[in-house]
């Protein structure tokens, strides 16, 4: 059975990503992280809504170490997005290896956050995570280079999407299609 690890915030994009991948008969394990700065309440509630397993992992120690000296510096209000996403994808990659999963998925949408979700930033984050070729962003995959699971036909790239930008119309239509409120 093909398996994917989903970085799961519980937001609309992560919900849609999980459903899109499950439609391809791929088993998904959602992972969310906690630190003193963020918790798992939203992810826990959303995972119950779509009846999907959720692993909650406290990454406080690794997160604080990264915050003390982020490689790419601080964004507005001490928000080192690139470094934080790199850390989360690295941890997800380790979980992927431990569980024998095939790849990692995220709900990131190209251009939705101009500073951290542009092509260059997405590439830097995945490369620095150590799992570059195993990170799939299904909502924008057709706008990005194919990853290993796509090239090896573990997943059908033609069923992935090409959503980009800050608008939410495509996501709202997809949510209605999947019956997500």
């Amino acid at each position: 059975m093909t398996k994917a690890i989903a970085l799961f915030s519980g937001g609309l994009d992560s919900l849609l990503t999980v459903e899109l991948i499950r439609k391809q008969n791929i088993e998904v394990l959602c992972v969310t992280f906690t630190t003193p700065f963020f918790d798992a309440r939203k992810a826990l509630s959303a995972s119950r809504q779509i009846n999907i397993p959720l692993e909650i992992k406290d990454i406080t120690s690794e997160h604080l170490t990264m915050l003390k000296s982020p490689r790419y510096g601080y964004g507005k209000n001490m928000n080192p997005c690139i470094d934080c996403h790199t850390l989360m994808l690295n941890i997800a990659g380790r979980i992927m290896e431990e569980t024998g999963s095939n790849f990692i998925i995220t709900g990131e949408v190209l251009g939705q956050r101009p500073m951290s979700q542009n092509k260059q930033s997405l590439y830097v984050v995945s490369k620095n995570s150590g799992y570059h070729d195993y990170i799939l962003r299904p909502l924008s995959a057709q706008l990005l280079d194919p990853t290993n699971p796509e090239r090896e036909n573990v997943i059908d790239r033609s069923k992935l999407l090409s959503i980009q930008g800050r608008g939410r119309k495509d996501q709202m239509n997809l949510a209605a299609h999947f019956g997500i409120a």
Side-chain angles (χ1 to χ4, degrees):
M1 175 81 167
T2 303
K3 297 189 289 187
I5 299 296
L7 284 186
F8 193 75
S9 68
L12 179 61
D13 294 334
S14 61
L15 279 163
L16 296 174
T17 294
V18 167
E19 290 299 275
L20 197 60
I21 298 307
R22 291 200 310 184
K23 292 286 183 199
Q24 292 200 37
N25 295 316
I26 295 171
E27 181 181 321
V28 178
L29 169 63
C30 295
V31 176
T32 196
F33 302 111
T34 63
T35 74
F37 303 102
F38 47 85
D39 62 38
R41 283 181 282 190
K42 187 175 180 182
L44 190 57
S45 174
S47 69
R48 289 178 180 145
Q49 180 183 358
I50 61 170
N51 193 29
I52 188 104
L54 176 68
E55 180 176 322
I56 300 170
K57 187 160 180 63
D58 185 334
I59 61 167
T60 298
S61 177
E62 289 175 276
H63 190 255
L64 289 176
T65 299
M66 179 276 303
L67 278 178
K68 289 177 185 173
S69 184
R71 179 176 179 179
Y72 289 92
Y74 298 105
K76 188 176 181 183
N77 301 321
M78 193 179 162
N79 182 16
C81 289
I82 290 175
D83 299 289
C84 188
H85 288 170
T86 298
L87 172 64
M88 289 179 184
L89 284 167
N90 175 268
I91 294 168
R94 289 184 262 157
I95 294 169
M96 176 187 74
E97 290 178 348
E98 291 166 7
T99 61
S101 294
N102 303 84
F103 57 97
I104 302 162
I105 57 175
T106 80
E108 293 166 301
V109 171
L110 185 63
Q112 189 174 69
R113 295 177 184 225
M115 298 302 290
S116 64
Q117 291 181 2
N118 59 58
K119 257 188 183 178
Q120 181 181 356
S121 295
L122 293 176
Y123 174 79
V124 167
V125 166
S126 64
K127 180 178 173 264
N128 290 344
S129 75
Y131 296 94
H132 171 67
D133 214 21
Y134 294 91
I135 298 169
L136 179 64
R137 297 169 171 104
L139 298 178
S140 296
Q142 291 191 12
L143 301 170
L144 302 168
D145 292 336
T147 59
N148 188 52
E150 295 166 278
R151 287 191 307 273
E152 292 187 0
N153 296 315
V154 171
I155 189 162
D156 185 348
R157 181 175 171 84
S158 71
K159 293 181 181 174
L160 303 176
L161 306 178
S162 58
I163 298 173
Q164 66 179 329
R166 299 184 78 153
R168 307 290 283 167
K169 183 180 175 185
D170 291 332
Q171 288 96 319
M172 297 307 290
N173 289 337
L174 190 58
H177 174 76
F178 287 145
I180 295 172

